[in-house]
């Protein structure tokens, strides 16, 4: 059977995972076990232990010891790079397994899950490079008697809390960079999708990562997530999730003033000018809102289109959206799989209802799709939307798009920036002046011109406004996991202050 073209089967029984502390795989024992059902098939696919606070304390202690005794932070960048490259090779060997469990737990199409794992390998390889490139600065202009150095040091123990929408890829946007900086990690993946973070622990161990450097404590957000953000033994938290929880993370982190990296929600405009290649733009906008079932923090979830082409563009877009292949994510032909959680499904359907009730006109989609099991939503387009409507303002996190027409660049920028979020924006135009001017003025951490939801390890990611703090990936991302020390070195004999 060719795994790339044939539909995969469900597992004959769920895979049972343990958790991972101090280099050891630990079985669930008498802990609560979370049974995860595939959101596309309603069949139990994984069994994941729910760690206790005592487990978390042990993980933090292991990460602290590993950091303080310098078994990782004391290595050269080159030695750290060698482990990261071996890990990249280890991930490559297990692409099919990781992608399979991503699809089973998350509901995303298997072809896209494979693509994300490949993207994750690129993150590890790039981070291996930056482990060697990371450097500080020197000041040779302080006079003959003084020399100044600025050094970067790893920040310490990092708590890593990740969501369910890109379980493995979001880990890979962070883990290799945190490791490259010389830090140690206590990770808590989403309780819905913990498998790939636990498989990564096995891969890192085999790659030669010392014990205690990467620990995984699966569990619920309220219990283990909250405890990580409050833990006095943790120096920094990288949190990816909702803006609401992000706000509570800020409060919880105040106890020991831990540093925070936050990647939160978004309401990301797709700005289409009349001079765009409208067919290309329609395809891109459809991809931007429907990819991963719209469950991306950077989904293009508001369409801001120049009024003179709004009707024509809407028709092109509706045609594209209605042709998207929604269905079984284990089928390689599927483009959009299942909605990952019951709560998310309800949230999306409630927004579709709100759009109808608030007076928007349904152009296509607008309902759940029934495949006999699981949860699926048809890609949905609303026109006659106003900025007051909830579908135009709030993060839906589903394949639902509302159209807001504009006249002129000023109005396009005003509509695009009229949001509390600032994660991403896409601009579709063939006019280089417009593309450049709008990309300068749009308030977003990531801007795409004539493309959307693309990128790799080289460019940083992160948000303006209430979409977050700090940056991940790239050289800027690794710097987040360091702190800066300035060193003054006096040369020669001291001029005495006393007598
Ligand atoms: O996110 P949560 P949910 C948005 C999206 C979605 C909404 C809710 O709009 O509809 O959030 O999704 C952990 N202290 N995004 O409920 O709760 C939790 O266990 C510490 C955008 O899944 O924010 C999980 O590991 N941690 C987003 C992670 O936080 C806590 C991706 C995210 O869960 C916690 C996901 C607490 N008190 C959802 N409570 C993006 N930016 O991509 C929960 N967690």
């Amino acid at each position: 059977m060719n795994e790339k073209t044939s539909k995969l089967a469900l597992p004959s029984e769920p895979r049972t995972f343990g958790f991972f502390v101090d280099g050891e795989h630990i079985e669930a024992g008498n802990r609560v076990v979370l049974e995860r059902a595939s959101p596309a098939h309603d069949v139990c696919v994984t069994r994941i232990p729910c760690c206790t606070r005592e487990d978390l304390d042990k993980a933090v202690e292991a990460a602290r010891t590993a950091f303080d005794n310098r078994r990782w932070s004391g290595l050269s960048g080159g030695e750290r790079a060698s482990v990261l490259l071996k890990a990249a090779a280890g991930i490559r060997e297990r692409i099919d397994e990781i992608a399979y469990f991503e699809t089973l737990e998350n509901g995303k199409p298997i072809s896209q899950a494979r693509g994300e794992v490949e993207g994750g390998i690129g993150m590890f390889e790039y981070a291996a490079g930056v482990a060697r490139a990371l450097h500080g600065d020197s000041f040779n202009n302080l006079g003959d008697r003084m020399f100044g150095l600025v050094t970067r040091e790893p920040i310490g123990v990092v708590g890593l809390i990740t969501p369910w929408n890109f379980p493995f890829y979001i880990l890979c946007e962070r883990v290799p960079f945190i490791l490259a900086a010389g830090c140690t990690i206590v990770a808590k993946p989403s309780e819905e999708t913990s498998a790939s973070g636990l498989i990564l622990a096995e891969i890192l161990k085999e790659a030669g990562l010392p014990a205690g450097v990467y620990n995984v404590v699966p569990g619920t957000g309220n219990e283990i997530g909250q405890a990580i953000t409050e833990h006095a033994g943790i120096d920094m938290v990288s949190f990816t999730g909702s803006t609401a929880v992000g706000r509570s993370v800020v409060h919880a982190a105040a106890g020991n003033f831990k540093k925070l990296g936050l990647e939160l929600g978004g309401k990301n405009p797709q700005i289409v000018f009349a001079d765009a290649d409208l067919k290309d733009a329609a395809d891109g906008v459809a991809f931007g809102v429907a990819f991963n079932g719209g469950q991306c923090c950077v989904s293009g979830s508001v369409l801001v289109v120049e009024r003179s082409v709004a009707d024509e563009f809407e028709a092109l877009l509706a045609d594209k959206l209605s042709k998207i292949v929604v269905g079984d994510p284990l089928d390689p032909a599927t483009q959009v799989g299942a909605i990952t959680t019951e709560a998310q499904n309800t949230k999306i359907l409630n927004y579709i209802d709100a759009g109808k009730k608030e007076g928007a006109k349904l152009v296509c989609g607008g309902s759940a799709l029934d495949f006999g099991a699981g949860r699926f939503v048809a890609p949905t387009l609303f026109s006659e939307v106003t900025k007051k409507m909830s579908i135009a303002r709030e993060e839906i996190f589903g394949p639902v798009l509302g159209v807001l027409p504009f006249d002129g660049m000023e109005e396009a920028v005003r509509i695009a920036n009229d949001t509390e979020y600032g994660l991403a924006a896409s601009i579709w135009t063939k006019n280089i002046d417009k593309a450049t001017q709008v990309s300068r003025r749009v308030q977003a951490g990531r801007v795409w011109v004539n493309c959307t939801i693309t990128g790799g390890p080289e460019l940083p990611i992160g948000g303006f406004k209430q979409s977050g703090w700090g940056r991940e990936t790239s050289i800027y991302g690794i710097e987040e996991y360091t702190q800066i020390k300035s060193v003054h070195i006096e040369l020669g004999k001291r001029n005495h202050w006393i007598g």
Side-chain angles (χ1 to χ4, degrees):
M1 187 178 78
N2 183 345
E3 289 210 324
K4 308 279 182 300
T5 52
S6 312
K7 188 166 152 178
L8 301 181
L10 282 165
S12 51
E13 57 182 45
R15 176 154 160 193
T16 299
F17 285 86
F19 61 104
F20 197 80
V21 171
D22 208 10
E24 295 303 324
H25 172 270
I26 302 163
E27 287 182 8
N30 56 8
R31 292 168 187 81
V32 172
V33 170
L34 300 171
E35 305 224 317
R36 175 63 179 157
S38 159
H41 312 93
D42 299 329
V43 168
C44 179
V45 287
T46 55
R47 304 180 77 245
I48 308 270
C50 207
C51 286
T52 62
R53 285 190 181 231
E54 292 70 44
D55 297 328
L56 173 64
D57 287 340
K58 284 192 183 135
V60 173
E61 199 185 316
R64 170 61 53 201
T65 303
F67 184 74
D68 287 348
N69 75 15
R70 304 185 65 78
R71 69 179 77 137
W72 181 244
S73 63
L75 299 185
S76 69
E79 287 166 315
R80 288 205 285 272
S82 144
V83 172
L84 294 174
L85 289 172
K86 280 187 198 135
I91 297 169
R92 189 169 277 114
E93 275 171 26
R94 293 173 74 172
I95 286 183
D96 288 338
E97 177 195 358
I98 300 170
Y100 183 57
F101 279 97
E102 288 288 89
T103 291
L104 291 179
E105 287 194 332
N106 166 283
K108 68 177 62 211
I110 186 70
S111 56
Q112 287 161 25
R114 280 202 187 97
E116 282 162 35
V117 181
E118 277 162 15
I121 295 168
M123 292 288 169
F124 271 81
E125 290 171 341
Y126 178 92
V130 291
R132 306 188 77 140
L134 189 66
H135 65 278
D137 210 343
S138 64
F139 284 78
N140 202 24
N141 59 349
L142 305 179
D144 277 348
R145 292 179 47 77
M146 190 64 78
F147 185 47
L149 295 174
V150 177
T151 58
R152 286 194 175 272
E153 296 183 2
I155 200 155
V157 177
V158 177
L160 184 55
I161 301 172
T162 52
W164 43 257
N165 54 341
F166 293 93
F168 190 69
Y169 193 69
I170 288 178
L171 271 182
C172 292
E173 287 174 333
R174 290 152 180 80
V175 167
F177 293 88
I178 301 172
L179 296 179
C183 298
T184 60
I185 299 175
V186 176
K188 191 207 82 67
S190 164
E191 50 272 48
E192 319 287 352
T193 54
S194 299
S196 56
L198 290 160
I199 296 174
L200 182 61
E202 294 169 15
I203 292 171
L204 287 168
K205 183 175 178 177
E206 278 165 29
L209 191 74
V213 178
Y214 177 72
N215 306 276
V216 190
V217 280
T220 62
N222 288 344
E223 176 86 13
I224 298 300
Q226 182 74 25
I228 286 176
T229 58
E230 289 169 356
H231 209 293
I234 291 179
D235 303 299
M236 174 171 176
V237 164
S238 166
F239 171 83
T240 310
S242 61
T243 294
V245 175
R247 194 164 281 115
S248 78
V249 168
V250 171
H251 292 294
N256 66 338
F257 289 105
K258 54 176 70 66
K259 184 176 176 182
L260 290 180
L262 302 172
E263 192 184 340
L264 308 173
K267 190 71 180 173
N268 311 294
Q270 292 274 359
I271 307 168
V272 179
F273 285 94
D275 59 23
D277 179 324
L278 295 184
K279 287 187 181 150
D280 278 4
D283 190 74
V285 170
F287 169 75
V289 71
F291 176 65
N292 214 40
Q295 303 168 117
C296 317
C297 52
V298 291
S299 288
S301 46
V302 178
L303 172 58
V304 188
V305 58
E306 196 150 8
R307 196 179 304 275
S308 59
V309 295
D311 289 347
E312 181 188 351
F313 189 70
E314 215 176 277
L316 287 169
L317 184 57
D319 181 53
K320 285 278 181 187
L321 290 172
S322 54
K323 286 181 181 155
I324 291 173
V325 183
V326 184
D328 186 344
L330 290 171
D331 185 339
T334 295
Q335 291 175 295
V336 170
I339 301 302
T340 306
T341 70
E342 189 65 53
Q344 190 56 38
N345 193 52
T346 306
K347 180 175 165 185
I348 297 168
L349 295 176
N350 285 345
Y351 273 112
I352 291 176
D353 275 353
K356 292 173 184 166
K357 285 192 190 121
E358 288 171 16
K361 185 178 143 203
L362 184 65
V363 182
C364 70
S367 60
L369 295 173
D370 186 358
F371 294 110
R375 302 174 284 269
F376 300 84
V377 175
T380 298
L381 181 64
F382 282 107
S383 67
E384 296 175 22
V385 175
T386 67
K387 206 61 210 208
K388 288 199 175 113
M389 295 178 186
S390 58
I391 56 167
R393 303 201 71 82
E394 294 166 22
E395 183 180 53
I396 300 174
F397 225 56
V400 182
L401 185 61
V403 186
L404 293 165
F406 71 86
D407 295 297
M409 192 196 301
E410 285 304 315
E411 192 181 10
V413 169
R414 188 160 43 75
I415 295 173
N417 286 339
D418 181 17
T419 164
E420 68 205 27
Y421 297 114
L423 208 50
S426 300
I427 304 160
W428 300 85
T429 173
K430 288 294 175 194
N431 180 314
I432 184 76
D433 291 354
K434 274 184 209 168
T436 310
Q437 286 165 324
V438 176
S439 69
R440 277 184 176 164
R441 290 182 53 198
V442 78
Q443 296 159 342
R446 279 204 263 183
V447 176
W448 288 295
V449 177
N450 294 324
C451 57
T452 196
I453 315 188
T454 186
E458 293 83 0
L459 272 65
I461 61 172
F464 282 27
K465 302 197 277 188
Q466 293 187 35
S467 288
W469 289 349
R471 294 294 177 267
E472 304 283 356
T473 74
S474 79
I475 190 70
Y476 305 96
I478 187 174
E479 287 176 355
E480 298 278 344
Y481 296 101
T482 66
Q483 52 193 341
I484 284 175
K485 180 178 278 178
S486 67
V487 183
H488 283 89
I489 303 174
E490 189 166 306
L491 306 169
K493 183 138 177 62
R494 177 175 172 80
N495 287 331
H496 283 223
W497 183 54
I498 303 161

